Amino acid sequence: LLPLLSLSYPHASAVGREGAQEPLVELYQLSLPGGAVVREWVGSEAVAHLRPIPADSLAPNAGAKVPIGAAHDRGLLHRGVWIGVLRGPATEAELLLLQRSDRVVTCPTAWGLVGEHSAPSEAWESTVRRAVREELGVVDIASLGPLGVPVLFKSNYSRDGGLGGRRDRTKLDLQVTALYWVRLAEGAETRLRFDAEVARWRWASTEAVRAMLARERSRLCNDKIRTLLDHAVPLLEAHLAEEAAGRRLGPGERRRRRYSGEDRSRRLDV
């Protein structure tokens, strides 16, 4: 789903604003050039939506942890992932899209990618693996990797849309979001299991996703999520081009590049 997604942590949780157990997220602070520090929505005006966030500019905020609902109430800075799950050969690859149920509060009936908030002290890759396990019901990942550097996702859902017309709700999402690609192990796509937050799912080419972005914007939650998906698609296409080139090179050349460091991916774990 989207940067808000299903919140079933096996880790620490606390009682949220409505008396239900909510997962805890760790709070962060973002250091800007000139010495300014951003920790929450108020004061984040100078930081643009989808701004790249280098790892050395992000640090835990004194170890503070709060229920995810509290983080969204005040727009407190936290971390999460958005995942492009791929199937098929690189030249014909398809992307997994999920449609949220009409019963959820945030982004009802909207389409998006698999996503999850990071638990306290959880590395990016660990969040991705947990998201695939919890959101898709599978543990068999063949390969995965980051897509560029993390970006800052900013959305005031009361203003941008995505709360299903409910005026008694507010939600300020200030999340450093890492984008990843994932390929499941062979046959795993036939064993996908979704929870009640998912109404439908489908596989689509990146061309079909681009068409949806251009002509069917109402199928997405709001423009902030649309721009995040618009940012992710060319990164996925670049990765698929690298996959296709790697297959054309053959195993000997791939080994040479791997050992020479030409294909080494930059680690983005916090």
Side-chain angles (χ1 to χ4, degrees), residues 125-167:
E125 185 173 313
S126 298
T127 305
V128 172
R129 292 184 179 277
R130 178 170 60 79
V132 170
R133 182 176 67 250
E134 295 180 3
E135 306 302 328
L136 305 184
V138 297
V139 297
D140 303 323
I141 294 177
S143 55
L144 60 82
L147 295 166
V149 300
V151 296
L152 184 66
F153 177 83
K154 294 179 68 176
S155 182
N156 178 344
Y157 286 85
S158 301
R159 181 191 64 206
D160 301 330
L163 295 179
R166 296 188 58 170
R167 300 188 179 279

Side-chain angles (χ1 to χ4, degrees), residues 246-265:
R247 287 194 173 88
R248 289 194 296 270
L249 288 173
E253 178 64 9
R254 288 201 298 273
R255 282 196 299 271
R256 186 195 70 78
R257 290 195 174 196
R258 182 167 66 249
Y259 293 135
S260 70
E262 292 177 44
D263 287 345
R264 189 174 300 142
S265 297

Side-chain angles (χ1 to χ4, degrees), residues 24-57:
L24 291 177
V25 293
E26 188 169 14
L27 302 184
Y28 283 79
Q29 59 184 30
L30 176 63
S31 298
L32 303 177
V37 176
V38 173
R39 299 182 178 90
E40 58 184 292
W41 191 274
V42 176
S44 70
E45 296 82 3
V47 189
H49 173 60
L50 299 187
R51 175 184 177 139
I53 305 298
D56 60 2
S57 67

Side-chain angles (χ1 to χ4, degrees), residues 43-236:
S44 70
E45 296 82 3
V47 189
H49 173 60
L50 299 187
R51 175 184 177 139
I53 305 298
D56 60 2
S57 67
L58 188 68
N61 184 8
K65 303 174 183 67
V66 300
I68 186 60
H72 287 155
D73 284 344
R74 291 178 52 195
L76 303 177
L77 185 65
H78 58 284
R79 294 190 303 123
V81 298
W82 223 31
I83 308 163
V85 179
L86 300 167
R87 75 169 184 181
T91 55
E92 303 173 8
E94 293 180 310
L95 180 64
L96 180 63
L97 298 177
L98 306 181
Q99 184 185 33
R100 288 173 65 80
S101 166
D102 61 2
R103 298 180 181 180
V104 298
V105 173
T106 310
C107 299
T109 74
W111 288 87
L113 305 183
V114 177
E116 185 62 276
H117 295 103
S118 290
S121 302
E122 188 174 44
W124 293 123
E125 185 173 313
S126 298
T127 305
V128 172
R129 292 184 179 277
R130 178 170 60 79
V132 170
R133 182 176 67 250
E134 295 180 3
E135 306 302 328
L136 305 184
V138 297
V139 297
D140 303 323
I141 294 177
S143 55
L144 60 82
L147 295 166
V149 300
V151 296
L152 184 66
F153 177 83
K154 294 179 68 176
S155 182
N156 178 344
Y157 286 85
S158 301
R159 181 191 64 206
D160 301 330
L163 295 179
R166 296 188 58 170
R167 300 188 179 279
D168 60 331
R169 292 270 183 170
T170 59
K171 182 170 184 175
L172 301 172
D173 206 350
L174 191 66
Q175 176 177 287
V176 178
T177 302
L179 301 170
Y180 267 73
W181 61 268
V182 163
R183 280 195 176 275
L184 304 178
E186 185 176 357
E189 66 188 56
T190 64
R191 303 192 301 273
L192 300 182
R193 299 192 311 275
F194 305 101
D195 62 23
E197 291 191 354
V198 177
R200 292 192 297 165
W201 59 276
R202 69 186 180 99
W203 296 91
S205 66
T206 56
E207 290 83 0
V209 175
R210 285 184 178 278
M212 182 174 67
L213 285 166
R215 299 192 293 271
E216 301 178 82
R217 294 168 59 170
S218 62
R219 301 180 70 181
L220 301 168
C221 182
N222 59 36
D223 274 351
K224 294 298 182 66
I225 287 173
R226 180 188 62 77
T227 55
L228 180 60
L229 184 56
D230 195 43
H231 174 75
V233 167
L235 294 174
L236 284 163

